[in-house]
Amino acid sequence: MKRYTLAEAEDKLIGLKGTTERDQYEFELKLELIGDMIQMARKERQLTQEQLGKLIGVKKAQISRLENNTSNVTIETILKVFNALDAKVNFNVKMLNKQVSLA
Amino acid sequence: MKRYTLAEAEDKLIGLKGTTERDQYEFELKLELIGDMIQMARKERQLTQEQLGKLIGVKKAQISRLENNTSNVTIETILKVFNALDAKVNFNVKMLNKQVSLA
DNA sequence: CATTAAGTTTACATATATGTATACAATACA
DNA sequence: TGTATTGTATACATATATGTAAACTTAATG
């Protein structure tokens, strides 16, 4: 029985990089992470969605949407959430050769 | 003549952390970085705004707005741009104690 | 099981991010 | 200097992110 690395499995199951399906998948994968990060940070602080909502002034339904990537998210929202959770978000960009990184 | 570290100078000039003014400043600082990162990556690739626009299917005016933080930005837009520039964006979140990091 | 708390889903309103087209400003460069 | 290139600003249309309220689904817990 042949075994695969995750990368191999992804190639096999989702299609090779560069194809539309795969790009779509990678895209959504990254989008999902935002929601996961929000949820992770919230749980780290032992808060319910309702409590977090109160911290930034929105209803719990809104937090649920953010965590489940029901809609796209703006930078402003991301920062608002992580600020409330006393966390620091960093974005960094890796180019093909050089690496550019900003706080 | 007294000298300051950047951190000291920020505290002095903008107000201490936790105050509204300072939070606002930090917030905008981070937002600005997105535009800067986009511009930096574009120039790294030696492209004009118009060329980048063509890559992702928008007019150059739109790229200008993104680079100058004229409006808030969605994750989707960020990824679209950096994908086109063959760059990888990572978001990572540092909590007070533990550090959570995701690709 | 019944009851509460926590999270999700839906329908809807409003603000705003994205997109275009055009005019304008700044820069390079002949 | 004039001309082309590049980037910015403005006015406007459309899609959608954010926000609320209420119903619904799951866990938890007595």
Side-chain angles (χ1 to χ4, degrees):
Chain A
M1 192 222 234
K2 189 172 181 341
R3 312 192 67 170
Y4 299 93
T5 64
L6 178 57
E8 286 171 340
E10 284 178 341
D11 284 347
K12 246 189 148 30
L13 293 171
I14 303 151
L16 297 176
K17 280 201 180 207
T19 64
T20 314
E21 299 83 28
R22 178 56 179 274
D23 286 349
Q24 189 63 23
Y25 168 75
E26 300 240 2
F27 190 75
E28 285 171 357
L29 228 188
K30 281 172 186 166
L31 280 182
E32 272 172 25
L33 290 179
I34 304 293
D36 290 349
M37 282 195 263
I38 291 175
Q39 185 172 79
M40 205 173 293
R42 173 176 65 83
K43 288 187 171 168
E44 187 86 12
R45 298 304 186 204
Q46 316 255 39
L47 297 176
T48 66
Q49 293 184 337
E50 193 162 24
Q51 289 172 317
L52 174 55
K54 215 159 219 169
L55 275 179
I56 63 175
V58 302
K59 299 295 173 196
K60 61 179 180 171
Q62 181 68 5
I63 305 295
S64 172
R65 287 202 294 207
L66 296 178
E67 291 186 2
N68 293 285
N69 309 281
T70 297
S71 74
N72 200 351
V73 189
T74 62
I75 294 290
E76 182 172 340
T77 298
I78 293 173
L79 294 178
K80 217 190 294 179
V81 168
F82 288 112
N83 269 335
L85 292 172
D86 196 19
K88 197 180 169 189
V89 202
N90 285 338
F91 306 79
N92 79 315
V93 180
K94 290 196 188 74
M95 305 289 294
L96 207 79
N97 303 321
K98 231 171 254 185
Q99 173 169 176
V100 181
S101 174
L102 293 174
Chain B
M1 192 220 233
K2 187 172 182 342
R3 313 192 65 173
Y4 298 93
T5 64
L6 178 58
E8 286 171 341
E10 283 179 340
D11 284 347
K12 247 191 145 36
L13 295 171
I14 303 152
L16 295 177
K17 280 200 180 210
T19 64
T20 313
E21 300 84 26
R22 179 56 178 275
D23 286 349
Q24 189 62 26
Y25 168 75
E26 301 241 0
F27 190 74
E28 285 172 357
L29 230 187
K30 281 172 187 167
L31 280 183
E32 272 172 25
L33 289 180
I34 304 292
D36 290 348
M37 283 195 261
I38 291 175
Q39 186 172 78
M40 203 174 292
R42 173 177 64 83
K43 289 187 172 168
E44 187 86 11
R45 297 304 185 204
Q46 315 254 38
L47 298 176
T48 65
Q49 292 184 337
E50 195 163 23
Q51 290 172 317
L52 174 56
K54 215 158 220 170
L55 275 179
I56 63 174
V58 301
K59 300 296 173 194
K60 61 178 180 172
Q62 183 66 5
I63 304 296
S64 173
R65 287 202 293 205
L66 296 177
E67 291 187 359
N68 293 284
N69 308 283
T70 297
S71 75
N72 200 351
V73 189
T74 62
I75 293 291
E76 182 171 340
T77 297
I78 294 174
L79 295 178
K80 217 189 295 178
V81 168
F82 287 113
N83 268 336
L85 292 171
D86 198 18
K88 198 179 169 189
V89 204
N90 286 337
F91 306 79
N92 79 316
V93 181
K94 291 194 187 77
M95 307 289 294
L96 207 78
N97 304 322
K98 231 172 253 184
Q99 172 170 176
V100 180
S101 175
L102 291 175

